[in-house]
Amino acid sequence: MAKITDTVARLAAPAVEAAGCQLWDVEYVREAGTWFLRLYIDKEGGVNILDCEAVSRAVSDLLDEADPIEGSYTFEVSSAGAERPLKRPSDFARFMGSPVTVKLYKAKDGRKEFAGVLAGYDNGDVTVTVGERELTFPKAEVALCRLRVEF
């Protein structure tokens, strides 16, 4: 049986693209006793509220028709955000050379968070340039890698 997020992604992708956007991620999570289905979208130049509304209307109709989720849930569509998490190899390739924050499960050198520039990605291992040093974190140690906005 396919995961709910995969099923929803397949269902939503054509409608998201028809609205001039890209599907960044699908999340199905339980928070405070309520299930949430979230679509994160992106587009060149950024996503606005009208993009979210157009995608929400189109995908909501598709979800009602296909009914891939048993039970009730709250459906949300939003921008992937400026400090979006990088998850897929294509995400890392697209943002190579960008500022990122890497969060680790356990402290390394007394820290669990490292801010630097994304310098490499190989089979889940993340390499970041921090100052003059290049640090590689094995996949098993990385809890999260997200873009970082610098001011």
Side-chain angles (χ1 to χ4, degrees), residues 1-94:
M1 178 180 221
K3 286 176 45 179
I4 288 173
T5 53
D6 294 339
T7 300
V8 171
R10 274 193 307 280
L11 199 66
V16 172
E17 289 171 15
C21 300
Q22 302 166 321
L23 183 60
W24 181 262
D25 199 11
V26 177
E27 184 179 72
Y28 185 60
V29 294
R30 187 177 179 106
E31 295 175 0
T34 302
W35 283 98
F36 289 87
L37 175 63
R38 295 188 179 113
L39 263 59
Y40 295 97
I41 60 174
D42 192 24
K43 80 172 187 183
E44 196 65 39
V47 171
N48 62 40
I49 192 73
L50 297 176
D51 297 319
C52 292
E53 180 184 11
V55 169
S56 178
R57 288 180 190 274
V59 174
S60 181
D61 290 345
L62 293 171
L63 290 170
D64 287 346
E65 186 178 312
D67 201 20
I69 301 173
E70 205 173 290
S72 63
Y73 58 92
T74 300
F75 178 54
E76 300 175 345
V77 176
S78 70
S79 162
E83 292 194 337
R84 68 191 66 184
L86 305 179
K87 296 181 178 182
R88 297 171 295 276
S90 60
D91 300 344
F92 287 90
R94 177 177 173 190

